[in-house]
Amino acid sequence: MFLRLLVGTSTIFLSLILGAFALALVGYNSPETLSMMLGWARDLKSIITSSGIDPKYNIWVELLLEERQLLFMFFTIAARIVLAIIAYPFTR
């Protein structure tokens, strides 16, 4: 049980680090791509905030959700997927 908890926690931590590294790598090697992805994140935020959510909740979404966070979440999720594909043969 402790081993499973340790592996799960380390996977989350590693995916956050790999996501940040991938974000920095894309920003360094291809700033145009990162700028385009920030534009997509901006569009996604506008879609989320204009989806008809009750205004007393929507104001918190507008305040707390930023384009940088959405972009970092994308890279973190991509890193989690890559880690899961790599770990699959070892967990069978």
Side-chain angles (χ1 to χ4, degrees), residues 27-62:
Y28 181 75
N29 290 329
S30 181
E32 302 86 17
T33 303
L34 189 61
S35 178
M36 182 179 61
M37 293 174 86
L38 274 171
W40 292 343
R42 199 171 298 113
D43 293 341
L44 180 61
K45 180 184 176 183
S46 69
I47 289 171
I48 292 171
T49 57
S50 66
S51 63
I53 300 173
D54 190 4
K56 69 179 180 181
Y57 302 118
N58 195 32
I59 190 66
W60 292 107
V61 173
E62 289 180 22

Side-chain angles (χ1 to χ4, degrees), residues 10-82:
S10 63
T11 304
I12 291 171
F13 183 69
L14 186 59
S15 67
L16 287 171
I17 292 172
L18 287 176
F21 182 71
L23 178 65
L25 194 66
V26 169
Y28 181 75
N29 290 329
S30 181
E32 302 86 17
T33 303
L34 189 61
S35 178
M36 182 179 61
M37 293 174 86
L38 274 171
W40 292 343
R42 199 171 298 113
D43 293 341
L44 180 61
K45 180 184 176 183
S46 69
I47 289 171
I48 292 171
T49 57
S50 66
S51 63
I53 300 173
D54 190 4
K56 69 179 180 181
Y57 302 118
N58 195 32
I59 190 66
W60 292 107
V61 173
E62 289 180 22
L63 283 173
L64 299 174
L65 190 64
E66 295 183 8
E67 296 86 9
R68 294 173 294 168
Q69 291 172 337
L70 287 171
L71 193 57
F72 182 62
M73 280 191 280
F74 168 75
F75 279 103
T76 303
I77 291 169
R80 296 254 348 207
I81 292 170
V82 169

